[in-house]
Structures are given as structure tokens and as C-alpha cells.
Amino acid sequence: MIYKTLLFFVLLTSAPVFAQEKTADSTMIIQNSTISPAATEVIAVHDSVTPRPQNQIGVMHLQGLYGSGLATMSITSVQYLRRMNNEKVTLIGRANLRTRAKNSSVKYDVETYIKHGKKHYSFLSASVSDEKMFPGFEASYSFYSALKKGYELETGVKYLSAQNFSLFTPVLGLSKEFGNNLVTFRNFFTLTENDFYYANTLAWKNFLNEKRDHLSVMTGFGNAPDSKNIDFAADFISNKSFFVGLGYEKNIKPFKLSASTVYNRNNYSIGRKFNQVDFYLNLFYDF
């Protein structure tokens, strides 16, 4: 209960303060709160003469394959995105269907990006599910600040509640943009009732074709609560996992297509080890 109180206190008190920030011009790249290849929207804040379409629809699919004879897992999502107020506010609604063997589960997400001047923006999200294969409730808030020399700082928090446990996770991230490259490092510090766990992720994006497309490489250690591909058993946060992946995104207006593959080496706390390979395929259409 204390985690829920802390989270909603942060959401309610921080956003109005940040919204009053007045800043000078800068160059930023807004990213989804996760570096997972399933990230649904990369929102460029670079000045543009031609405004982008206000609406976007998308279909995303994650296919997970496991070693040791474990059943495959998939997540299929559909989403609608709306850019408003000269792209100062972006709203996203998403429905997700997760299947494994003969079991299935649904989850619904609502996300928003809010710009505060030209050096700051916020990301807020909330999710609810039927709790069969997803957490019952999730909420997060991150505040991003553009710093000097192409750096960007993220400070945030995430709360996750499932049937038999809950997690509270402060998030700290730092990005560096140089030339056609963007490097992002994120840390997750998860607090439970009895212990403390951490995870870190590192992602590199190389932008191509006047920054319309990009190649990405990502790696990390530990289990971040905002990962799309993990099974939310009560002890998942204590499992030691390592991942490395490669992805590519291509824009052919009005379409955007991205494909990624990620290899995971999972080491469960009960002593079981197995390999996992995830394939991500996303298609978006602007109109």
C-alpha cells in the first residue's frame, strides 16, 4: 500500500511543477520508457518545417522461443496514437493479447508524452489486465531533461502490482547524442518487501537516411519491470538474466516498419538455466 501512495504522490506533485518550466531551444529525442525492441513509438522533437500527421495506428507482435522444451509465448498488440496541440501532447492507447500453450491474457495500456518547453518532457503510463499472464496494475512516470553537449537525463519511477506481490522501482537513465548516434544507459532499482534488486540496459542507435531510419544494438543484465518479454512469476525479479539484441527500423511514409531479435540467457534463482530468443515485428501507419 505504501508503494501505491508514494507513486501517486510523485505523479500528482511532480507534473504540475515540471509543466511550468520555461526553457530555451534545444535538440531532444523522446524515447519510449523502455529500450525493449517492442517500443512502439520514437517521437523526434527536432524542429521540422512539415508537421507530421496527427494520427497513427500500429500492430506489434512479439514471438518468444524457449529452450528446455518450454512452450512458446507471443504478445500481439494494436494501438492508436494521437498527436495534439502542435505535438506538445501525444496520447497512446493499446490493447495486448498474450498467449502461451492454451492460456491467454489481455492487458490495456494508456500512455502520454507531454512537452514542457523545449528542454523537458514527461512520460506517464498506466496499465490494467485480467491478471492471468500480466501484472494486474502498472503505473510509471519519467521526467526527461536535455543537458549540455547532447546529453539527456531521465529520472522516474514505476509501480507494478500482481496477484501475490508488488514492486516499486526508481529509474535513472542517461542518453548521449553525437552525430548520427544515440547511446542510452538506464538503471532500475527495484524494492520489494524483503530485498533490493537492480537491472541495467544499454542501447545504441545509429541513424541513417537523414535520420529517417536507424539500426539499433542493445544489451543488459537483470530483469527490468518494464520488459515486455518476461513472465511475471512472484520471483522473476530475483532471476539473473543477460540479453543482447539487434534491430532495424525503416520509414517509408506513411508507413514505419521495425524488426528486432533478442537473445536472452536466463538463470533462475531455483537453479534452472535456459535460453530464450525473442522476435519483434512492428508496423505503423500515419494518417
Side-chain angles (χ1 to χ4, degrees):
M1 184 64 184
I2 186 172
Y3 295 153
K4 284 187 177 180
T5 304
L6 285 171
L7 177 65
F8 285 108
F9 177 78
V10 171
L11 293 177
L12 290 173
T13 59
S14 299
V17 174
F18 293 144
Q20 296 173 11
E21 294 276 355
K22 300 296 181 181
T23 59
D25 291 345
S26 70
T27 298
M28 294 191 302
I29 294 182
I30 295 181
Q31 305 167 86
N32 192 281
S33 62
T34 175
I35 62 96
S36 164
T40 58
E41 171 71 357
V42 176
I43 306 174
V45 189
H46 300 288
D47 294 336
S48 177
V49 176
T50 305
R52 292 182 297 173
Q54 290 185 313
N55 303 286
Q56 183 190 88
I57 55 175
V59 179
M60 294 140 282
H61 185 75
L62 159 61
Q63 185 67 53
L65 306 178
Y66 304 87
S68 303
L70 298 175
T72 61
M73 179 274 295
S74 68
I75 300 177
T76 301
S77 307
V78 293
Q79 80 166 29
Y80 170 72
L81 178 147
R82 173 75 174 179
R83 304 179 181 101
M84 301 182 297
N85 194 17
N86 195 26
E87 297 195 35
K88 291 183 179 179
V89 177
T90 301
L91 294 176
I92 303 172
R94 187 181 308 111
N96 312 272
L97 173 66
R98 183 172 187 152
T99 60
R100 189 167 191 172
K102 296 182 180 180
N103 301 314
S104 63
S105 182
V106 294
K107 179 168 74 82
Y108 302 97
D109 309 322
V110 176
E111 300 174 350
T112 181
Y113 294 90
I114 305 173
K115 296 183 191 178
H116 313 303
K118 294 186 177 180
K119 282 191 176 180
H120 306 289
Y121 64 92
S122 296
F123 171 77
L124 300 94
S125 70
S127 303
V128 294
S129 82
D130 56 13
E131 293 192 282
K132 294 179 180 179
M133 300 173 68
F134 288 109
F137 174 75
E138 298 174 79
S140 67
Y141 174 76
S142 284
F143 181 68
Y144 296 83
S145 300
L147 308 177
K148 295 181 179 180
K149 298 183 179 180
Y151 286 96
E152 181 180 84
L153 177 67
E154 174 195 2
T155 54
V157 63
K158 181 178 178 67
Y159 175 78
L160 181 153
S161 176
Q163 287 183 338
N164 301 316
F165 66 97
S166 60
L167 303 175
F168 182 78
T169 305
V171 182
L172 182 64
L174 184 67
S175 297
K176 166 67 173 176
E177 185 179 12
F178 56 99
N180 291 327
N181 301 280
L182 177 69
V183 176
T184 302
F185 182 71
R186 304 181 76 214
N187 288 274
F188 301 82
F189 311 94
T190 299
L191 310 175
T192 67
E193 294 181 356
N194 302 315
D195 217 332
F196 165 82
Y197 302 94
Y198 74 93
N200 52 64
T201 60
L202 179 66
W204 166 66
K205 290 182 180 179
N206 177 242
F207 294 93
L208 310 167
N209 301 323
E210 298 179 346
K211 296 191 175 183
R212 290 189 299 270
D213 312 319
H214 70 259
L215 175 71
S216 59
V217 178
M218 66 286 296
T219 186
F221 179 84
N223 289 301
D226 63 354
S227 296
K228 302 291 191 297
N229 63 343
I230 55 180
D231 292 322
F232 288 96
D235 61 347
F236 86 91
I237 200 66
S238 64
N239 300 328
K240 297 179 180 179
S241 299
F242 167 79
F243 75 87
V244 61
L246 179 67
Y248 181 71
E249 179 177 284
K250 179 67 177 177
N251 285 269
I252 307 175
K253 292 184 178 181
F255 295 97
K256 176 167 64 179
L257 176 67
S258 65
S260 307
T261 183
V262 178
Y263 165 76
N264 305 267
R265 178 61 176 174
N266 299 304
N267 185 358
Y268 274 23
S269 57
I270 58 175
R272 186 176 187 180
K273 301 178 181 180
F274 64 92
N275 298 317
Q276 176 181 346
V277 180
D278 299 314
F279 298 94
Y280 301 82
L281 185 63
N282 306 325
L283 177 64
F284 303 96
Y285 172 72
D286 285 315
F287 62 99

